[in-house]
């Protein structure tokens, strides 16, 4: 499926352009990469956090 | 430190690292993540998340060797704990990093793994992102091989063409998924890179269609950087369609936005493109005006290569106008700069220009016998099919021979 393909045969390089005067091909502007993200809160459910905080504070009280 | 206090402080440090990276201060974020690693944690999922974010932070800081190291740790860890989604993400990040480092074959394997797992997990979003990454790897691979020689878009060896066609295929597969998902931002990214891929393949009409879509989405989001990118890419495509007036219009919009965004480097590039476009339109006064603007910014940014290009272009434009004094001045500057940056090819071009100009001016060049002899030798070798290696400041340029039919006011 080529939604954008259209008359590619007609798109041979234009002979009008004197390439010697142009450096256009090295300033193509690319879109940014996308990186996959992880977060410590992905795995640290609130419950887990709560129990950790609880166990730490209760241990401190027992001292 | 007791275990629970250690865990809590590792988590606190990591959360602060996350906050700083989200706020855009990756350097400070890295310090906190590294401190978190120092403290340590027994929770391998937490550690995996820290490694992943360290990898991304180093990626954004352009420290790719470190990014590679941490994404690799993350991948190992994700596999160890049997976290399939985590493995997919780590593979994708590793693939992107390997791509930037120019290791395309391994990058493809990693991005493919990202895609396979996403499909296995029936994760459409992940699959689309993996397809975009794969498109980017093949695009870079194609461009990398293409850059080894010097040719215009559309004149490509088979291996380059194959890589670019694969890139286009992946971008289109990505587009069909993100369109289905209604993710406009992702569509914008895919259209932009698909447009650039068509441009390199020499499908300039298709490139225009894709960049027009990109422009539309950029405007929807009010994303002025993306809008500026689209204008610039549209200008490039119209140059190769031979529609120089349209190209000039798009480059003018690029320049306008570059100024609004206060990006001097991009402003310089837009001026340079406009200078070249007006040269093609044979409006040399305008060309000189823009090349001078480019020259000023190049000097301001200490961009020697840009400065050399500006002088070369100015020399040509002044020659075309028959202003030989200025032409000699800039050809001389071009020669000096080429020597300074060690650009051998630029240096030889400058010598030839100078000797041509001196002939035109009827100067005695008997004093310059050695230069003339060298220039003649270069000319012969250039015309005799010189091997086309990578050139620096004169990339993609051929020697512009000054001949009477090119210079109307020769006498």
């Amino acid at each position: 499926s080529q939604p954008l393909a259209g008359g590619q045969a007609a798109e041979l390089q234009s002979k009008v352009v004197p390439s010697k005067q142009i450096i256009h091909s090295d300033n193509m502007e690319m879109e940014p990469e996308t990186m996959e993200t992880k977060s410590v809160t992905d795995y640290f459910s609130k419950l887990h956090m709560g129990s950790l905080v609880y166990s730490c504070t209760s241990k401190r009280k027992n001292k | 430190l007791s275990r629970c206090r250690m865990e809590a402080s590792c988590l606190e440090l990591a959360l602060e690292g996350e906050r700083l990276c989200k706020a855009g201060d990756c350097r400070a974020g890295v310090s906190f993540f590294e401190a978190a690693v120092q403290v340590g944690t027994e929770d391998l999922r937490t550690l995996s998340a820290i490694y992943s974010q360290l990898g991304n932070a180093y990626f954004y800081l352009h420290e790719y060797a470190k990014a590679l190291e941490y994404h690799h740790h993350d991948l190992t860890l994700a596999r160890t704990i049997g976290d399939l989604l985590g493995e997919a993400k780590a593979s994708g990040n590793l693939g992107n990093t390997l791509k930037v480092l120019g290791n395309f074959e391994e990058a493809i394997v990693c991005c493919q793994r990202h895609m396979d797992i996403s499909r296995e997990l029936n994760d459409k979003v992940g699959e689309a992102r993996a397809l975009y990454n794969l498109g980017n790897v093949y695009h870079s691979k194609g461009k990398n091989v293409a850059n080894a020689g010097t040719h215009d878009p559309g004149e490509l060896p088979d291996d380059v063409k194959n890589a670019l066609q694969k890139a286009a295929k992946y971008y289109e597969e990505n587009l069909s998924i993100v369109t289905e998902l209604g993710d406009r931002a992702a569509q914008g990214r895919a259209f932009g890179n698909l447009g650039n891929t068509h441009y390199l393949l020499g499908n300039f009409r298709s490139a225009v269609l894709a960049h027009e879509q990109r422009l539309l989405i950029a405007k929807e989001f009010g994303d002025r950087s993306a809008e500026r990118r689209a204008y610039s890419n549209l200008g490039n495509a119209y140059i190769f369609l031979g529609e120089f007036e349209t190209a000039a219009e798009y480059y003018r919009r690029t320049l306008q936005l570059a100024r609004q965004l206060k990006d001097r480097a991009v402003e310089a590039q837009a001026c340079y493109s406009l200078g070249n476009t007006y040269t093609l339109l044979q409006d040399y006064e305008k060309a000189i005006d823009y090349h001078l603007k480019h020259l000023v910014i190049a000097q301001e940014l200490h961009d020697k290569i840009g400065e050399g290009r500006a002088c070369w272009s100015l020399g040509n434009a002044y020659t075309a106008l028959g202003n030989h004094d200025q032409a000699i001045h800039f050809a001389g500057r071009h020669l000096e700069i080429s020597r300074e940056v060690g650009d051998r090819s630029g240096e030889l071009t400058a010598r030839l220009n100078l000797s041509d100009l001196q002939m035109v001016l009827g100067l005695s060049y008997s004093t310059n016998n050695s230069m003339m002899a060298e220039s003649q030798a270069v000319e012969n070798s250039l015309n005799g099919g010189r091997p086309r290696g990578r050139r620096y400041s004169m990339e993609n340029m051929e020697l512009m021979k000054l001949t009477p039919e090119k210079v109307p006011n020769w006498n």
Side-chain angles (χ1 to χ4, degrees):
Chain A
S1 63
Q2 282 202 312
L4 290 167
Q8 290 186 5
E11 292 191 344
L12 293 168
Q13 201 209 321
S14 168
K15 293 273 185 289
V16 194
V17 183
S19 64
K20 63 193 63 153
Q21 297 187 357
I22 303 288
I23 317 183
H24 287 275
S25 48
D26 67 351
N27 68 352
M28 245 183 352
E29 302 255 10
M30 295 297 285
E31 298 293 327
E33 283 109 351
T34 50
M35 302 300 281
E36 304 306 306
T37 53
K38 296 179 183 181
S39 163
V40 290
T41 52
D42 286 351
Y43 307 121
F44 244 91
S45 67
K46 284 201 168 68
L47 189 71
H48 192 157
M49 282 271 279
S51 69
L52 181 74
V53 171
Y54 171 78
S55 72
C56 285
T57 48
S58 62
K59 268 182 195 162
R60 222 172 287 158
K61 277 175 189 161
N62 293 342
K63 272 177 188 173
Chain B
L1 267 153
S2 74
R3 203 200 119 206
C4 73
R5 273 177 61 198
M6 179 190 92
E7 292 290 345
S9 93
C10 173
L11 193 63
E12 272 172 29
L13 289 163
L15 285 169
E16 184 58 12
E18 282 186 19
R19 193 189 64 76
L20 286 161
C21 285
K22 276 205 184 82
D25 189 353
C26 285
R27 184 61 66 193
V30 160
S31 309
F32 278 90
F33 282 127
E34 285 184 334
V37 171
Q38 284 299 311
V39 172
T41 172
E42 286 177 23
D43 185 285
L44 296 183
R45 285 172 177 270
T46 300
L47 193 57
S48 153
I50 294 171
Y51 283 151
S52 176
Q53 291 179 91
L54 264 169
N56 284 348
Y58 276 122
F59 185 93
Y60 294 127
L61 292 165
H62 304 291
E63 292 181 39
Y64 300 111
K66 283 230 150 129
L68 192 72
E69 189 187 321
Y70 282 113
H71 285 311
H72 202 261
H73 286 328
D74 181 27
L75 180 63
T76 309
L77 213 48
R79 282 185 181 155
T80 307
I81 56 182
D83 171 12
L84 209 51
L85 178 62
E87 185 184 337
K89 286 181 172 187
S91 301
N93 291 338
L94 201 53
N96 282 344
T97 311
L98 287 161
K99 177 204 74 175
V100 177
L101 290 166
N103 190 338
F104 302 116
E105 299 319 306
E106 276 188 68
I108 289 165
V109 172
C110 290
C111 292
Q112 191 76 45
R113 181 78 185 131
H114 183 195
M115 190 173 72
D116 292 344
I117 298 173
S118 299
R119 283 181 177 167
E120 198 180 317
L121 297 173
N122 228 330
D123 169 9
K124 276 286 176 195
V125 173
E127 184 186 347
R129 291 168 71 90
L131 285 163
Y132 176 71
N133 291 345
L134 270 167
N136 287 344
V137 176
Y138 278 106
H139 178 102
S140 284
K141 185 184 171 184
K143 196 159 52 180
N144 197 58
V145 181
N147 279 347
T150 51
H151 34 67
D152 288 331
E155 301 175 352
L156 302 170
D158 281 347
D159 50 348
V160 174
K161 199 176 274 187
N162 286 339
L164 292 172
Q165 278 165 345
K166 275 205 170 114
K169 181 178 74 87
Y170 283 120
Y171 289 136
E172 273 159 4
E173 282 181 36
N174 162 279
L175 266 170
S176 79
I177 296 178
V178 295
T179 305
E180 209 178 308
L181 295 170
D183 184 345
R184 289 294 275 168
Q187 281 177 57
R189 284 192 296 269
F191 275 125
N193 287 354
L194 178 62
N196 285 334
T197 307
H198 279 308
Y199 170 81
L200 287 178
L201 282 165
N203 309 329
F204 301 113
R205 289 279 165 219
S206 303
V208 165
L209 287 174
H211 288 309
E212 280 173 346
Q213 289 299 313
R214 206 296 156 248
L215 180 59
L216 206 66
I217 295 167
K219 285 178 172 170
E220 257 172 54
F221 280 86
D223 180 345
R224 292 197 305 169
S225 293
E227 189 182 341
R228 190 200 55 69
R229 280 200 297 272
Y231 288 142
S232 172
N233 291 327
L234 279 162
N236 293 346
Y238 277 110
I239 286 285
F240 281 92
L241 287 166
E243 298 177 37
F244 306 141
E245 292 283 4
T246 312
E249 178 53 37
Y250 280 118
Y251 286 139
R252 274 197 296 274
R253 291 189 197 177
T254 308
L255 179 58
Q256 199 180 13
L257 272 175
R259 285 177 177 160
Q260 282 178 21
L261 294 164
K262 298 198 173 15
D263 185 332
R264 289 294 266 173
V266 166
E267 187 181 338
Q269 181 62 58
C271 288
Y272 184 69
S273 297
L274 276 163
N276 286 332
T277 308
Y278 282 114
T279 300
L280 292 169
L281 286 162
Q282 297 184 327
D283 183 343
Y284 299 110
E285 267 99 356
K286 274 206 177 110
I288 286 167
D289 182 42
Y290 282 113
H291 282 308
L292 284 170
K293 287 189 169 86
H294 169 230
L295 178 63
V296 169
I297 303 175
Q299 285 170 338
E300 178 193 314
L301 300 175
H302 306 293
D303 169 13
K304 275 287 166 196
I305 289 178
E307 202 183 324
R309 283 180 179 181
C311 291
W312 184 83
S313 304
L314 282 161
N316 288 338
Y318 278 118
T319 301
L321 282 177
N323 184 338
H324 296 116
D325 291 344
Q326 285 287 31
I328 285 211
H329 166 74
F330 283 109
R333 278 293 294 138
H334 179 214
L335 179 59
E336 281 169 36
I337 292 166
S338 301
R339 278 193 190 136
E340 243 176 274
V341 299
D343 172 11
R344 183 87 179 122
S345 155
E347 193 183 323
L348 297 173
T349 306
R351 282 178 188 282
L352 279 171
N353 277 345
L354 276 167
S355 65
D356 277 340
L357 284 161
Q358 283 167 327
M359 266 199 285
V360 172
L361 291 173
L363 293 178
S364 155
Y365 47 80
S366 56
T367 53
N368 268 324
N369 262 336
S370 64
M371 186 172 108
M372 285 301 291
E374 186 175 351
S375 299
Q376 197 55 56
V378 177
E379 203 173 335
N380 294 343
S381 73
L382 282 174
N383 295 338
R386 187 175 137 273
R388 312 178 94 194
R390 184 162 178 83
R391 290 189 263 167
Y392 298 98
S393 74
M394 306 303 289
E395 231 177 299
N396 296 349
M397 287 195 192
E398 284 155 9
L399 198 64
M400 184 163 150
K401 286 288 293 137
L402 298 175
T403 54
E405 65 269 20
K406 276 219 188 89
V407 186
N409 33 10
W410 185 255
N411 296 315

